[in-house]
Amino acid sequence: MHISGAKLGALALVATLAACGGSDDNPYPTLSGDKPLVIGHRGAAGYLPDHTLEGYKRAIEMGADFIEPDLVATKDGALIARHEPNITGTTDVSTRAEFASRKTKKVVDGVEEEGWFASDFTLAEIKTLRAIQPLADRDQSHNGKYQIPTLEEVLDLAKSEGSKAGRTVGVYPETKHPTYHVRLGLPLEDRLLTILAKYSYTAKSSPVIVQSFEVSNLKYLRTKTQIRLVQLVDANDVNPDGSMDLTAPYDKPYDFAVAGDTRTFASLLTPAGLKEVKTYADGIGPWKPYLIPSKQVDANKDGKADDLNGDGKIDERDRVMMPATDVVKNAHAAGLLVHPYTFRSEAKRLASDFKGDPKAEYKLFYQLGVDGVFSDFPDHAKAARDN
Ligand SMILES: [Ca+2]
C-alpha cells in the first residue's frame, strides 16, 4: 500500500503525541505536566502599542502568566522596553523637532540602519516620547498616548497587577542585541542582574525568565544567576517547501558570526545542540516553524505557489501545515522547556489549516507539548488552553 508523505507525517505526529503522553488524561504533554504558559508578547501587542505599561496591564487582565519586555539601553545606561535599539518605528521621535539632529546611522548586527537610537537619548529624554503602533494593519488609535517604560516599571507593574489579580505574574525580559550593546559600552547583562537583585529575583523559582538570541551572554548570565534562561532560535524565513531559510544575518546568533563560529540557529536544535544549550539554559524559544513547519502548495507544478483562498495574493493563508518535527520531543528529552514565538490571531497570519481560527493553531502546538507560547493575543492563547 502506498502511504503518502502527509499520512506518514500524521502517523508520526500521533506517535509523538503518544510518546509525550498527549491523551485525554493529559492534554498538556509539557515538560512538567503543567499547563503551558501564556506569555504576553511585548504586552498585548495585538491590541495596544508594543512595550507600554498599558499593553502589559492589558495582557495581565487577559490572563497572561508572563509579560515580555524587550530591553535596550539608553545613553545613561537605563534599561527600557523597546523591541529595537532603533526607536524610529515604535515611538513618535521622528516628529519631535528638538530631536531632529539625533537622526543618524548605526550598524546593528552587521546591518546599517538609519533613524533615532535609544543609546543617543537619556532616560529623561526617552520619557518625553510616546509609543506608536508599528504594524500598519493594527489599531493606530493609541498612538502618542503612552510612555516608554523602564524595566523597573515593568517589574513593579507585574507585582502590583499580580497582587490585584491574586496570582503571580512573571516577567520575561529579552536582552536585545547583546554584542551591539557591548560595543556601545552599554552591556545589558550586569545592569539587568542588578535590577533583578533589587527585587530578590535571583533564584530558579523567581518569576523571571531571561531570553536571548545570542549564546555567550546567556553563558555569562548562567555564571552569575540561577534565574531561568531561554535560548531563542531564529531564522530568516520559511522556504516554500517548509524548510528553514537561514540567510544571514538571521542564520546564526550574532556572537557566533563575530567569533567565526560556523554553527547555525538550526544546529542549536539538533539533539547534540540541545544538550549543549542545556549546559547554560533552562529552555529554548524557537520560531514556531522549527516545531511545526508549513509549506506552499503547487498542485499543477507550474512552479508557482497556489492561491489556496483565491484572494489573488500569496501569504500565510496559502500555506498548509506539515508534520511536527522532533524538536519538542528532543528538547524535553534534554530537560529543556520549549516556548515558541509568535502567535498572532489575524486571519492573514494563520495557515490555511486553521481556517482563520487562532485557537486551532494554539491547540495544535499545545497538543505537541510546548511549555508556553509568546502571543500577541494572550486572551486567545488562554481561551484555547483553558476551554
Ligand atoms: Ca491567497
Side-chain angles (χ1 to χ4, degrees):
M1 187 180 76
H2 174 78
I3 298 178
S4 73
K7 268 201 186 135
L8 272 175
L11 289 170
L13 179 62
V14 168
T16 301
L17 289 173
C20 294
S23 65
D24 289 348
D25 301 344
N26 179 11
Y28 305 115
T30 55
L31 185 61
S32 65
D34 296 337
K35 283 182 182 183
L37 298 174
V38 172
I39 305 155
H41 183 243
R42 309 183 197 173
Y47 300 96
L48 291 172
D50 301 2
H51 297 305
T52 58
L53 291 179
E54 291 76 7
Y56 299 126
K57 184 167 181 282
R58 180 73 61 89
I60 296 166
E61 287 164 357
M62 288 177 162
D65 300 295
F66 274 75
I67 51 174
E68 192 238 3
D70 295 325
L71 300 178
V72 303
T74 64
K75 191 179 185 175
D76 45 350
L79 299 188
I80 58 167
R82 286 292 89 189
H83 185 250
E84 293 95 9
N86 185 337
I87 56 174
T88 311
T90 63
T91 71
D92 59 2
V93 67
S94 67
T95 69
R96 299 297 186 92
E98 68 273 32
F99 298 130
S101 65
R102 307 273 176 100
K103 190 178 187 185
T104 186
K105 288 178 182 163
K106 287 191 199 292
V107 177
V108 181
D109 296 1
V111 180
E112 188 177 80
E113 298 180 18
E114 187 166 31
W116 287 262
F117 293 82
S119 57
D120 292 331
F121 293 77
T122 63
L123 177 60
E125 289 171 336
I126 289 284
K127 281 293 182 183
T128 70
L129 303 176
R130 293 295 179 269
I132 60 172
Q133 167 56 255
L135 293 185
D137 63 312
R138 287 186 172 168
D139 184 2
Q140 304 288 315
S141 70
H142 299 277
N143 291 355
K145 289 191 200 166
Y146 309 137
Q147 285 197 339
I148 313 309
T150 62
L151 173 62
E152 288 95 326
E153 289 170 331
V154 180
L155 292 165
D156 289 341
L157 180 90
K159 270 195 158 178
S160 60
E161 291 300 309
S163 59
K164 254 192 243 173
R167 62 191 178 91
T168 300
V169 174
V171 179
Y172 206 134
E174 179 185 344
T175 54
K176 297 300 289 193
H177 306 286
T179 296
Y180 164 87
H181 278 99
V182 167
R183 287 174 173 176
L184 288 173
L186 294 166
L188 301 172
E189 293 74 22
D190 289 320
R191 288 177 166 83
L192 171 60
L193 292 173
T194 300
I195 294 166
L196 294 177
K198 279 200 275 181
Y199 293 77
S200 303
Y201 294 157
T202 56
K204 188 167 180 162
S205 58
S206 300
V208 174
I209 304 175
V210 174
Q211 37 164 345
S212 177
F213 280 113
E214 292 189 13
V215 172
S216 48
N217 83 312
L218 288 175
K219 287 186 170 175
Y220 173 76
L221 286 166
R222 180 46 83 224
T223 68
K224 299 276 177 183
T225 182
Q226 288 310 305
I227 56 172
R228 286 165 288 173
L229 305 175
V230 160
Q231 176 68 61
L232 298 173
V233 184
D234 208 356
N236 183 60
D237 204 348
V238 185
N239 292 313
D241 67 358
S243 61
M244 302 306 286
D245 166 4
L246 293 169
T247 301
Y250 301 106
D251 57 334
K252 61 179 61 170
Y254 188 62
D255 57 321
F256 280 15
V258 169
D261 191 321
T262 57
R263 287 176 294 165
T264 62
F265 276 122
S267 73
L268 296 175
L269 297 178
T270 63
L274 291 163
K275 230 180 242 178
E276 155 80 3
V277 170
K278 177 60 180 169
T279 64
Y280 62 87
D282 302 277
I284 53 169
W287 190 24
K288 63 189 181 182
Y290 276 113
L291 307 186
I292 312 179
S294 68
K295 63 180 178 186
Q296 294 178 338
V297 179
D298 180 12
N300 60 0
K301 307 275 179 220
D302 65 354
K304 284 190 247 165
D306 297 349
D307 180 14
L308 296 185
N309 68 346
D311 67 350
K313 52 182 185 256
I314 299 299
D315 61 19
E316 202 61 29
R317 284 170 288 198
D318 303 305
R319 300 186 76 98
V320 296
M321 297 304 285
M322 295 168 67
T325 67
D326 288 334
V327 169
V328 172
K329 189 180 72 176
N330 291 339
H332 283 176
L336 290 164
L337 299 162
V338 183
H339 295 164
Y341 65 91
T342 299
F343 290 78
R344 299 186 162 110
S345 294
E346 290 98 343
K348 72 173 187 184
R349 299 190 165 106
L350 294 169
S352 63
D353 306 53
F354 307 126
K355 300 181 172 59
D357 176 13
K359 286 195 201 73
E361 184 186 34
Y362 289 111
K363 284 181 177 162
L364 187 63
F365 282 83
Y366 291 155
Q367 285 162 5
L368 184 62
V370 301
D371 303 280
V373 290
F374 289 95
S375 171
D376 281 0
F377 296 80
D379 49 343
H380 297 168
K382 184 177 191 299
R385 184 192 65 183
D386 296 348
N387 295 343

